[in-house]
Amino acid sequence: GQYKNVFAPLIKAEEGDDIVIRRKDITYFYKVKNISQIPGTAGVKINIGANNPKTLKLMTCVPIGTSLRRLIVEAELKKSI
């Protein structure tokens, strides 16, 4: 689909990288804390805000455009302005 490459840059992410998200009038600054991959056939359950509302979890398929594996990038909120 038209959004299959939205998270394509995640494959270059490294622990310690910054992620900046702008939403409406607020800018959120996150620091990457963990990067993992799981098989594409594994079930994935991400509880949004359940454990820590200051944690960002992004997921994409790798290689891009396939369902072979899932790349999961977790980041911690550092500040918002």
Side-chain angles (χ1 to χ4, degrees):
Q2 64 181 348
Y3 298 109
K4 73 177 184 180
N5 294 320
V6 169
F7 287 135
L10 282 181
I11 61 173
K12 297 178 183 177
E14 296 180 2
E15 288 184 26
D17 283 352
D18 295 318
I19 296 174
V20 179
I21 297 176
R22 291 180 183 88
R23 186 169 184 256
K24 298 185 181 183
D25 294 333
I26 302 174
T27 302
Y28 300 90
F29 297 88
Y30 293 87
K31 179 88 50 191
V32 174
K33 294 294 180 186
N34 187 46
I35 300 170
S36 59
Q37 289 189 29
I38 61 173
T41 56
V44 177
K45 183 177 180 182
I46 297 177
N47 295 323
I48 299 171
N51 297 327
N52 185 350
K54 295 184 178 185
T55 299
L56 173 71
K57 294 181 182 180
L58 303 172
M59 182 173 64
T60 192
C61 299
V62 288
I64 299 298
T66 73
S67 59
L68 185 61
R69 295 184 312 278
R70 307 282 187 237
L71 174 70
I72 301 170
V73 175
E74 297 178 65
E76 180 180 310
L77 180 67
K78 292 301 176 183
K79 68 177 179 177
S80 59
I81 54 173

